[in-house]
Amino acid sequence: MTAGAYFGGGTLLKINGHSDQLKDLVDEAGKAGVVIGDYTIPVDENGNVSGGLKVSAFRPYVGLGFGRAVPRKRMGVMFELGVQFHGRPDVYTDYGNVDNLLDEVDPDDTFSKVMDKLTVYPVMKIRFCGRIF
């Protein structure tokens, strides 16, 4: 049994892209964006979109595994399954503000359903260890 925490970057998913059609829409209307689930990520004046999903930088961890840190023979294997608890992800963008379209969303939207329930990150570790002497 293992328990602990991960400290580090809070970016779970990064979104980068470019569209010439969206660039033309920005020029005409002054505002355009990419709709992902119930969020609209804005596009800059060059047609670039940049953003992603952020989670907590501090993530508690619980795992269960087997193996030996110091093997009995020359080589050994350790295996572990666990989860990181990072909370509900937040959508961010590098260009402007993210618009939330909760009132306009289809109730069968799979992305929104997954985002609401995606609060843990599964982890599987396989380690190979060896003895020098």
Side-chain angles (χ1 to χ4, degrees):
M1 182 81 164
T2 304
Y6 282 90
F7 301 93
T11 303
L12 180 65
L13 174 73
K14 185 93 172 122
I15 300 168
N16 286 313
H18 175 79
S19 173
D20 290 329
Q21 290 117 357
L22 289 176
K23 178 183 175 184
D24 297 338
L25 289 174
V26 170
D27 291 341
E28 295 170 7
K31 187 175 182 183
V34 176
V35 176
I36 299 177
D38 53 357
Y39 298 97
T40 299
I41 299 176
V43 177
D44 72 351
E45 64 276 354
N46 298 321
N48 297 319
V49 63
S50 180
L53 298 176
K54 281 192 176 183
V55 295
S56 175
F58 171 76
R59 299 181 295 274
Y61 174 80
V62 176
L64 183 63
F66 62 90
R68 295 176 56 96
V70 179
R72 290 184 179 145
K73 298 183 179 182
R74 252 324 146 200
M75 293 294 295
V77 177
M78 298 170 62
F79 179 78
E80 185 175 325
L81 288 174
V83 292
Q84 291 180 21
F85 299 94
H86 58 69
R88 188 169 185 253
D90 293 322
V91 178
Y92 75 94
T93 180
D94 296 332
Y95 309 122
N97 297 322
V98 175
D99 295 329
N100 194 341
L101 305 172
L102 286 177
D103 299 331
E104 305 169 20
V105 172
D106 179 16
D108 293 331
D109 185 21
T110 305
F111 180 79
S112 299
K113 288 179 183 178
V114 170
M115 286 293 295
D116 289 340
K117 295 189 177 25
L118 185 68
T119 60
V120 297
Y121 186 77
V123 177
M124 180 178 79
K125 296 180 189 178
I126 299 174
R127 298 183 204 171
F128 297 97
C129 51
R131 235 178 22 170
I132 297 174
F133 299 105

